[in-house]
Amino acid sequence: MTDAYIGPRHDAGALAPILAARRLQTEQAKALRPEVQLRRQLEMQPGPTNGQPGVARFTRALRENGPLAVIAELKRRSPSAGPIRPELDLGAQARAYTQAGAAALSVLTESAYFGGSAEDLERVALASRLPRLRKDFLTEPYHLYEAAALGADAVLLIVRILGDDQLRELLALAEQLGLAALVEVHDEEELGRAIALDATVIGINNRNLDTLVTDLQTVRRLAPLVPRRPGRWVVAESGYRTAADVADLPGLGIDAVLVGEALLRAADPAKRLQELRSAGSAAGARSAPALATATPPQPEVRTQASVRAQELPLAKAGPAPSVKVKICGLQDLAAAQAARAAGADALGFVFYPHSRRFLDLEAAQALVSSLRSLARDEGLPCPQLVGVFVRAPEATILHHVRALQLNVVQLHGNESPAFVQSLRHQLDQAGFTDTRLWLAVPCSHPQAARQRLAELGLGSRTAPPPVSAVLIDKMGPAPGGNGQPFTPEEFATVRSLREHAPHLGWGLAGGLRPGNVAAAIAAVRPDFVDVSSGVEIDGRKDPVLIRQFVQNAQQAFAWLETKATATETTAEAEAGTGRAGHSPKEVFS
């Protein structure tokens, strides 16, 4: 029963109608998306703990944006303030917060009193790569499974509405799911309960949830009572509007401030956010010596789920080589934005009419125009755009390159060496010297693949090859992905093929998923990986799977380097996973 997860004082004051509405919302959500379905979705993917857990992303963001990080909130209204921004454009606001230097985003998902929805988390994820806190009245395990499935990095747990047993259970589940838990308190008794359960992230709310009255002295009174230890974070919440309001927070041991209404009502929310950050930085500089003694450097938080069999340890400090990621078969802006927000290096569009992922030129032009416009608005580079062609005429390929300004042409139809050479010449003659050619080669017949590479002169260093990268693909009856993973024998074939042209870029495609991409990278050490069906559910690109695939691929190389440094065994050296192994080339330059 849902009621079993609401604490003994849930019927007090202003919370009563909100919690009653929340119970009804939960019943409706369960009818549409039962918990067993959420669990199944999470089981299909490695979970937010693989590669870089949500808890690590969230706390790392607080650390890297200190001395006073700003968690910027997205909400349309509240019981205390009434309508704030009913017409709020979540994507535009999230992008503005990101550009202004927010450390993380807080997304209100309660619908009756705050005008939000669970799906708002996904909308924000498409617009920003910042960690996301699901802020809501979360009172039972279903809410956390839902948050994880929707891509949250952190969840709010309000001590005021939870009994100790329920709070303990939800904290354990959050750890299992790789979610950070912002444990919110308002008075000494609630703070004591949070400390007793060893909460990692403690939020001190200036707002009394019984009366909705805000008193900034609440944080000043409670912050000194929080025992500081490595890996613990303290967040100040509610009522902060001006630089003067936050100036003393770093000196109190506050690591972050959560601000919503003041930003949303400001004429220039980004400017207001920057003012708050600047005030926190100035205050942090004044109090740095004292804090250096009181708060030692914070280590990365590890979770129970982060030691699963496929888990990748977090990268060491400093730059590390990274395998590039291409998300292929994109057909709509939502999926392309999900890939872009996840950090994909390249986006692939299939121009093969017989593919179920086929995209016609007119639709591709609209999609690419929107992507480039969003990138310009954010001041960020657009991912590389790859057109996938199967036995298409030269004129068709050139027309697409000209119309879309493609960065890469990927040939996937066993095109002849003469065709490849001619296409390279035609691209150069048309002024597209920077448009690269990638050649897909199946690994099912190693001798034929070697012969094909030799015919194209790809093993020669004496003349520039017509292609800049080779994509080894486990092709089935039809060109493109068939969802079947590589076998160990086929990985060995890929490594042997690579020896024929080590100076080229090399990619891997075929049966890759979030859960196996790290093992594939360990076996082959490609320069890039290419995925399509492996990040789909029922034939549609899934934002959560896309994000997990990108994170796992990007973290895999750092994991291999860490592993090799710790112990480089003979087996690792033979498999090409030791320090002497290949470092990824830049395949997009």
Side-chain angles (χ1 to χ4, degrees), residues 266-569:
D268 187 340
K271 181 179 179 182
R272 177 64 58 85
L273 194 155
Q274 290 169 338
E275 290 171 352
L276 296 175
R277 288 195 71 211
S278 296
S281 296
R286 291 193 300 270
S287 59
L291 288 178
T293 302
T295 310
Q298 309 294 331
E300 199 59 73
V301 176
R302 304 290 290 175
T303 68
Q304 190 174 23
S306 68
V307 293
R308 295 176 184 172
Q310 295 175 344
E311 184 267 344
L312 306 179
L314 297 172
K316 297 178 290 185
S322 177
V323 173
K324 303 297 184 182
V325 179
K326 174 189 162 211
I327 306 296
C328 199
L330 297 165
Q331 294 175 291
D332 57 73
L333 182 60
Q337 269 289 78
R340 178 173 169 269
D345 303 284
L347 310 180
F349 309 105
V350 177
F351 301 118
Y352 177 49
H354 299 292
S355 169
R356 67 179 177 86
R357 300 183 183 90
F358 170 69
L359 188 66
D360 65 49
L361 181 57
E362 184 177 354
Q365 286 177 301
L367 195 162
V368 166
S369 177
S370 296
L371 280 172
R372 287 183 168 138
S373 177
L374 288 168
R376 283 194 300 270
D377 291 345
E378 295 178 7
L380 297 173
C382 185
Q384 301 282 292
L385 302 182
V386 182
V388 180
F389 300 89
V390 178
R391 295 181 294 277
E394 281 185 15
T396 298
I397 297 174
L398 285 167
H399 182 57
H400 281 68
V401 170
R402 186 174 288 109
L404 300 171
Q405 296 295 299
L406 293 174
N407 304 105
V408 179
V409 169
Q410 179 177 316
L411 299 176
H412 221 90
N414 197 30
E415 287 81 2
S416 70
F419 179 91
V420 177
Q421 293 282 4
S422 176
L423 178 61
R424 178 69 272 167
H425 177 71
Q426 293 295 330
L427 287 169
D428 292 343
Q429 288 292 102
F432 296 107
T433 55
D434 291 334
T435 298
R436 291 166 298 285
L437 287 183
W438 291 356
L439 184 69
V441 175
C443 71
S444 52
H445 301 289
Q447 188 56 43
R450 293 188 187 94
Q451 180 66 28
R452 180 161 167 72
L453 297 177
E455 290 173 350
L456 284 162
L458 298 185
S460 171
R461 293 176 180 267
T462 59
V467 302
S468 60
V470 173
L471 176 67
I472 300 295
D473 193 0
K474 179 163 180 173
M475 295 183 187
N482 295 271
Q484 296 300 313
F486 285 85
T487 65
E489 293 77 15
E490 287 167 334
F491 279 140
T493 296
V494 174
R495 291 195 296 270
S496 69
L497 289 174
R498 183 179 199 145
E499 293 173 0
H500 287 259
H503 54 290
L504 293 180
W506 285 78
L508 189 69
L512 299 178
R513 302 183 300 275
N516 68 14
V517 65
I521 290 171
V524 179
R525 290 264 184 149
D527 301 302
F528 67 100
V529 289
D530 189 344
V531 66
S532 186
S533 62
V535 291
E536 294 178 349
I537 294 179
D538 296 329
R540 294 183 64 84
K541 294 292 188 289
D542 180 77
V544 176
L545 292 180
I546 289 173
R547 187 176 67 254
Q548 292 308 313
F549 185 94
V550 173
Q551 289 178 351
N552 290 357
Q554 291 176 340
Q555 288 288 324
F557 211 90
W559 171 59
L560 291 172
E561 293 298 320
T562 302
K563 181 179 179 182
T565 300
T567 171
E568 185 173 357
T569 64

Side-chain angles (χ1 to χ4, degrees), residues 73-145:
E73 191 154 272
L74 295 152
K75 62 183 175 183
R76 297 175 177 86
R77 62 177 183 267
S78 75
S80 59
I84 301 172
R85 290 277 294 278
E87 77 296 346
L88 179 64
D89 183 332
L90 286 169
Q93 194 68 40
R95 288 190 290 272
Y97 284 158
T98 302
Q99 287 182 286
L105 301 175
S106 170
V107 185
L108 259 297
T109 59
E110 196 281 330
S111 59
Y113 288 83
F114 293 87
S117 70
E119 289 70 28
D120 283 350
L121 279 167
E122 291 182 311
R123 296 187 182 100
V124 171
L126 295 178
S128 173
R129 301 179 190 178
L130 292 181
R132 294 167 297 282
L133 164 71
R134 183 186 188 182
K135 195 175 181 191
D136 205 329
F137 298 86
L138 309 180
T139 57
E140 60 173 290
Y142 179 86
H143 296 145
L144 270 61
Y145 286 116

